[in-house]
């Protein structure tokens, strides 16, 4: 029923039908478990940022709640040849300031991602660095040429190209010449320009009223929005990192909707007719990334002075020292699935049924001894404490498991706003990560996190551990440019097997996402873990 409603809404939007908004539309108050780190849509690739961005900005292609691709600012797209994509743009769209949306805004956005000095880890340039040319033959056509075949181009565009208005900076004729500035004659916009609202001009359903770090975000409905106008006139998002205060705020009426209530509180919600919840499995893998590229490494201490993480036997020992089932049941309260590979079983390019990584501390100790560390070594786990579900507790649990096999393990957990810049500078030795398979196959995680660093070709840009395996690179790089789906699947499956054997990442679990809300509204749970005001609807009493 939810899918049908969503499809009808998309149909109305694509046909240009204005959907009536009830007169009683009001303010929606949301408690976020993870705070967006910026109002800049090209600042740092993380779910909290992208979910917030989706309120203010539209992309060429969007996703529905089940992560299917749907038209947005582009009404259609197709391959002209293996290296060329054509996007036809939607007519009649305006920005929140009333200015028309055209192909010039797409070109400007692409150029900005390639000239963004205030971003973190160039995460939004991973795609656009692959472009060799962008042409705008008319106001509603964009033609993009890529350096090599890019079979997942539509999915990549959907996840990493929020469109901004080209008028936020002075420029002459725009051309795709990133190194020469593309025709921009003034300074490029910075993260500050978006955070203070000056340049926060998009085509999304809401307009940014205020962004105050640590305090909250206020949005107002965009009356120029091209699609189905949202029910809520105003939206307030407040960061509340701890599950207890989020639940207290919901029960007391301070919030209408909260992210990630503790699973142990679900029974309370079931017993209270004034509240409800939805649980949705996600594709987000939570994992640890060992530093295998440096010797020594800053937060690893061994008697022999070496970096033990460079030894495959040590990585294998860590892998089997962790009881994933216990973590998912006791810490995640059953709202997660143990991960034995890098994407959910059966996903394109993954294994249909990955063999279980068995919890075996005795075998782990033997591997450590075989590697020359019978007395273990010292290690610091670096993690967030406000980004992933129960992230700080998960890090502590993993530390205890490693300590049991002789690895003296400390935990340094910090807020995401501090953690991510440090990780991008490679300041950690064993760091937590989380990645959703947004493109629907194994390629994105491998491209960013596992393949050897080649920034010029957008490879390995999140490979903070310095992992490099020529055998993996050869197979993955071939997969990345293989257009034939069956052949690409086989190559990605082979890549998966190589990575699982060499342990560049320690997989933990796949998160399920919970939302709780008050009576009178309903929420459509999303596999991408986005919390969207647009997915929050008034409830007629049936939950439909």
């Amino acid at each position: 029923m939810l899918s049908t409603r969503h499809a009808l809404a998309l149909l109305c939007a694509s046909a240009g039908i204005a959907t009536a908004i009830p007169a009683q539309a009001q303010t929606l108050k949301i408690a976020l478990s993870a705070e967006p780190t910026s109002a800049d849509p090209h600042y740092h690739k993380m779910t909290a940022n992208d979910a917030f961005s989706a309120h203010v900005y539209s992309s060429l292609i969007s996703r529905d709640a089940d992560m299917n691709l749907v038209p947005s600012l582009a009404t259609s797209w197709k391959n002209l040849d293996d290296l060329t994509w054509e996007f036809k743009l939607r007519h009649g769209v305006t920005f929140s300031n009333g200015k028309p949306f055209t192909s010039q805004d797409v070109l400007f956005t692409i150029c900005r991602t390639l000239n963004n000095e205030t971003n973190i880890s160039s995460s939004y340039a991973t795609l656009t660095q692959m472009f060799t040319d962008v042409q705008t033959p008319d106001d509603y056509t964009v033609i993009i040429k890529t350096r090599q075949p890019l079979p997942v181009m539509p999915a990549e565009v959907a996840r990493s190209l929020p469109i901004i208005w080209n008028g936020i900076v002075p420029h002459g004729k725009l051309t795709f010449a990133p190194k020469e500035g593309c025709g921009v004659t003034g300074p490029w916009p910075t993260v500050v320009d978006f955070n203070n609202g000056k340049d926060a001009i998009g085509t999304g359903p809401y307009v940014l009223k205020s962004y105050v770090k640590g305090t909250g975000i206020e949005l107002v409905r965009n009356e120029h929005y091209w699609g189905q106008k949202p029910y809520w006139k105003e939206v307030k998002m407040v960061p509340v990192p701890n599950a207890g205060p989020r639940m207290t705020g919901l029960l007391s009426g301070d919030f209408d909707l909260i992210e990630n209530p503790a699973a142990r509180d679900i029974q309370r919600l079931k017993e209270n007719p004034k509240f409800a919840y939805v649980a949705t499995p996600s594709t987000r893998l939570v994992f640890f990334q060992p530093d295998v590229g440096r010797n020594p490494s800053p937060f690893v201490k061994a008697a022999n002075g070496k970096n033990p993480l460079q030894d495959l036997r040590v990585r294998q020992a860590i892998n089997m020292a962790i009881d994933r089932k216990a973590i998912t049941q006791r810490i995640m309260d059953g709202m997660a699935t143990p991960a034995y590979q890098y994407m959910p079983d059966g996903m394109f390019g993954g294994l249909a049924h990955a063999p279980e990584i068995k919890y075996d501390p005795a075998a782990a100790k033997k591997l450590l001894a075989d590697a020359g560390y019978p007395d273990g070594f010292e290690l610091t786990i670096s993690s967030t404490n406000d980004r992933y579900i129960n992230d700080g507790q998960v890090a502590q649990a993993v530390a205890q498991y490693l300590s049991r096999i002789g690895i003296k393990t400390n935990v340094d957990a910090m807020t995401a706003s501090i953690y991510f810049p440090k990780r991008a500078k490679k300041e950690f030795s064993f760091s937590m990560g989380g990645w959703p398979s947004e493109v629907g196959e194994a390629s994105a995680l491998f491209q960013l996190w596992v393949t050897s660093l080649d920034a010029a070709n957008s490879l390995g840009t999140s490979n903070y551990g310095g992992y490099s395996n020529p055998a993996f690179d050869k197979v993955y790089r071939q997969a990345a440019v293989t257009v034939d789906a069956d052949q690409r699947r086989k190559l990605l499956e082979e890549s998966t097997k190589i990575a699982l054997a060499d342990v560049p990442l320690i997989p933990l679990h796949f998160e399920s996402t919970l939302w709780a809300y008050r009576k009178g509204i309903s929420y459509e749970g999303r596999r991408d873990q986005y919390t969207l005001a647009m997915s929050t609807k008034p409830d007629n009493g049936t939950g439909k």
Side-chain angles (χ1 to χ4, degrees):
M1 200 67 177
L2 288 172
S3 297
T4 301
R5 183 185 66 197
H6 189 79
L8 288 172
L10 287 169
L11 181 61
C12 291
S14 62
I17 300 172
T19 305
I21 301 171
Q24 69 271 27
Q26 54 184 357
T27 299
L28 178 70
K29 297 169 290 185
I30 302 173
L32 303 175
S33 59
E35 181 182 19
T37 57
S38 173
D40 183 342
H42 308 136
Y43 176 68
H44 181 211
K45 187 78 182 143
M46 59 180 281
T47 297
N49 289 355
D50 288 345
F52 165 44
S53 173
H55 290 81
V56 180
Y57 305 93
S58 305
S59 298
L60 295 180
I61 304 171
S62 187
R63 287 190 179 86
D64 65 16
D66 294 319
M67 297 186 69
N68 299 306
L69 297 179
V70 294
S72 185
L73 293 179
T75 56
S76 66
W77 51 90
K78 64 180 180 181
N79 266 127
L80 300 182
D81 56 52
D82 283 356
L83 299 177
T84 310
W85 287 84
E86 179 187 78
F87 295 84
K88 288 295 185 179
L89 306 184
R90 190 179 299 279
H91 290 240
V93 176
T94 60
F95 284 88
S96 57
N97 61 359
K99 300 296 184 180
F101 160 71
T102 71
S103 58
Q104 294 300 294
D105 301 298
V106 179
L107 174 56
F108 175 75
T109 298
I110 292 169
C111 285
R112 195 266 169 156
T113 66
L114 296 169
N115 287 275
N116 185 5
E117 296 181 356
T118 57
N119 71 347
I120 291 182
S121 71
S122 301
S123 46
Y124 290 90
T126 299
L127 170 65
T128 52
Q129 283 175 342
M130 302 293 291
F131 298 172
T132 60
D133 191 30
V134 180
Q135 293 293 325
T136 55
D138 59 58
D139 282 351
Y140 299 103
T141 304
V142 177
I143 298 175
I144 299 174
K145 289 187 176 291
T146 59
R147 183 177 297 113
Q148 58 191 29
L150 196 58
V152 293
M153 176 74 142
E156 290 283 3
V157 166
R159 79 181 187 90
S160 59
L161 200 62
I163 302 300
I164 59 177
W165 179 47
N166 78 83
I168 59 178
V169 297
H171 60 78
K173 178 178 172 56
L174 291 173
T175 59
F176 185 69
K179 293 182 179 179
E180 291 76 41
C182 294
V184 170
T185 56
W188 288 92
T190 68
V191 63
V192 174
D193 297 324
F194 287 91
N195 287 351
N196 65 24
K198 181 176 77 71
D199 290 340
I201 301 168
T203 61
Y206 284 95
V207 178
L208 179 64
K209 182 178 179 181
S210 69
Y211 169 87
V212 181
K213 193 169 181 60
T215 299
I217 298 163
E218 293 188 24
L219 305 169
V220 294
R221 191 168 57 215
N222 177 10
E223 301 301 341
H224 293 286
Y225 183 50
W226 56 270
Q228 181 187 27
K229 291 185 173 59
Y231 174 81
W232 310 100
K233 185 176 182 180
E234 297 183 351
V235 177
K236 295 182 178 179
M237 299 178 173
V238 180
V240 185
N242 295 321
R246 285 199 302 276
M247 178 60 71
T248 299
L250 176 67
L251 297 177
S252 66
D254 291 337
F255 305 119
D256 303 302
L257 169 72
I258 66 171
E259 291 182 328
N260 298 318
R264 61 181 175 273
D265 288 329
I266 293 303
Q267 189 60 37
R268 296 172 64 190
L269 295 173
K270 288 181 179 179
E271 295 170 354
N272 192 330
K274 295 182 179 180
F275 302 95
Y277 75 95
V278 62
T280 304
S282 81
T283 63
R284 178 177 297 282
L285 172 71
V286 175
F287 58 88
F288 282 102
Q289 185 176 51
D291 178 5
V292 301
R294 292 178 291 183
N295 190 10
S297 185
F299 293 102
V300 185
K301 297 179 181 179
N304 61 8
K306 296 181 179 179
N307 174 8
L309 299 174
Q310 292 186 320
D311 193 306
L312 173 60
R313 292 166 295 184
V314 172
R315 300 197 298 276
Q316 290 172 330
I318 292 172
N319 210 18
M320 64 178 60
I322 301 168
D323 190 341
R324 292 164 174 79
K325 292 180 180 178
I327 288 176
T328 56
Q329 289 302 315
R330 298 172 190 171
I331 296 178
M332 303 301 290
D333 294 294
M335 294 297 174
T337 304
Y340 304 127
Q341 61 174 321
Y342 301 120
M343 64 289 303
D345 284 3
M347 180 174 281
F348 189 95
L351 307 182
H353 300 286
E356 180 180 336
I357 302 172
K358 294 188 179 297
Y359 171 57
D360 193 340
K365 287 182 179 180
K366 184 178 185 305
L367 278 172
L368 284 182
D370 291 345
Y373 303 99
D375 299 319
F377 53 90
E378 188 171 346
L379 173 69
T380 295
I381 292 177
S382 302
S383 81
T384 53
N385 58 14
D386 60 354
R387 172 62 195 94
Y388 310 111
I389 301 173
N390 300 329
D391 43 8
Q393 295 168 263
V394 169
Q396 291 289 348
V398 170
Q400 291 179 26
Y401 284 123
L402 299 189
S403 294
R404 291 174 188 173
I405 65 168
I407 301 174
K408 182 182 178 182
T409 308
N410 307 300
V411 174
D412 183 15
M414 63 199 79
T415 63
S417 61
I418 296 174
Y419 177 83
F420 288 121
K422 283 179 171 288
R423 190 182 66 180
K425 296 175 184 176
K426 301 182 180 180
E427 295 183 9
F428 303 138
S429 295
F430 196 82
S431 57
M432 178 178 283
W435 188 256
S437 298
E438 294 177 305
V439 300
E441 63 174 56
S443 58
L445 180 135
F446 288 162
Q447 174 191 352
L448 297 176
W449 296 88
V450 181
T451 193
S452 299
L453 177 62
D454 180 358
N457 289 303
S458 298
L459 296 171
T461 52
S462 295
N463 186 351
Y464 308 117
Y467 174 76
S468 183
N469 181 338
F472 175 87
D473 291 345
K474 180 180 179 180
V475 177
Y476 169 73
R477 286 189 177 213
Q478 184 180 351
V481 299
T482 299
V483 177
D484 180 84
D486 289 338
Q487 185 61 23
R488 188 166 79 257
R489 178 187 286 108
K490 291 177 182 177
L491 290 167
L492 288 173
E493 288 174 354
E494 186 177 349
S495 301
T496 297
K497 292 175 182 177
I498 295 172
L500 287 174
D502 213 22
V503 202
L505 305 173
I506 312 291
L508 292 182
H509 55 259
F510 298 100
E511 292 182 340
S512 289
T513 311
L514 289 167
W515 292 269
Y517 44 89
R518 64 166 175 81
K519 181 180 179 180
I521 67 173
S522 64
Y523 189 75
E524 181 182 28
R526 299 179 57 91
R527 290 199 73 193
D528 57 16
Q529 299 187 301
Y530 284 12
T531 298
L532 301 178
M534 303 80 80
S535 293
T536 312
K537 308 289 185 178
D539 190 345
N540 61 12
T542 66
K544 301 177 182 177

